[in-house]
Amino acid sequence: EAAIAYVTQMAPYIGKKPMVIDCCGTKRVVCRALFPLAQEHGFTYLGGHPMAGTHNSGFKYARSNLYHGAPMVLVPPVFDDIELLQRAKDLLQPAGFGKFSVTTAEAHDEMIAFTSQLAHVVSNAYIKSPTARSHRGFSAGSYKDLTRVAWLDPSMWAELFLDNRDNVLFELDSLADSLSQYRAAVENNDLAALTALLDEGRRRKEEVDGR
């Protein structure tokens, strides 16, 4: 909302030469507002999402190499303008991105619900276990990996989740369904079913990420 408000306020003063690229965590809401605004005022706008960051918030945590080698997602207003995409890549070159992906706002939000937003919900919910208060001395890499993004900016992430409500709900339902299968296997002391579920997850990880 802040990005939309800022660009709306500044739109009459941007001019025809600059390229505006937002860095918001969802794309449908911001692109829906800013594509027509850019067309109306004659400046160039692309949706953008740098796929890098830390669990810390604020400018004091900025660092010059944050985007080095990281993917950058671009959402252009049209997909057959090669010059536009090349110009965007050239302008972003100093940031050191390792790869550019070009997609639609809809496809971006669908994917980001899985790769980022669900991970933040799970991490934030996982740390609420009463056992967490006594974890010291018993936790290592898996605990740290799973809880890192529980450090989040609540206001920002709540807005992102609601901006992408339909996709977040789909991922939450998918996860809840999977968890219910694991719970049933443990509750029923079903070694075969539990082993099969774990093996399925291991094979899925190998399929999507390789070894």
Side-chain angles (χ1 to χ4, degrees), residues 9 35 49 56 66 79 177 186:
Q9 178 185 356
F35 279 149
H49 191 177
N56 298 309
L66 178 63
F79 283 81
D177 180 61
V186 172

Side-chain angles (χ1 to χ4, degrees), residues 76-134:
V78 293
F79 283 81
D80 57 355
D81 192 337
I82 303 302
E83 289 186 11
L84 172 67
L85 292 172
Q86 189 57 55
R87 182 183 167 208
K89 292 176 182 179
D90 291 343
L91 286 169
L92 292 166
Q93 189 275 331
F97 289 106
K99 178 184 179 182
F100 289 91
S101 297
V102 180
T103 188
T104 64
E106 290 74 20
H108 168 277
D109 286 2
E110 181 179 324
M111 186 56 66
I112 218 69
F114 170 70
T115 61
S116 177
Q117 295 181 324
L118 181 65
H120 281 77
V121 172
V122 170
S123 180
N124 199 263
Y126 172 78
I127 199 63
K128 292 177 182 177
S129 166
T131 316
R133 297 185 181 278
S134 307

Side-chain angles (χ1 to χ4, degrees), residues 52-66:
T54 73
H55 54 276
N56 298 309
S57 301
F59 284 112
K60 68 179 180 179
Y61 294 106
R63 62 176 195 263
S64 61
N65 64 348
L66 178 63

Side-chain angles (χ1 to χ4, degrees), residues 190-210:
D190 191 336
L191 178 63
L194 185 57
T195 302
L197 287 168
L198 294 169
D199 188 53
E200 181 187 18
R202 178 195 62 79
R203 286 187 286 106
R204 182 67 60 85
K205 171 67 174 174
E206 189 173 335
E207 289 170 9
V208 300
D209 290 334

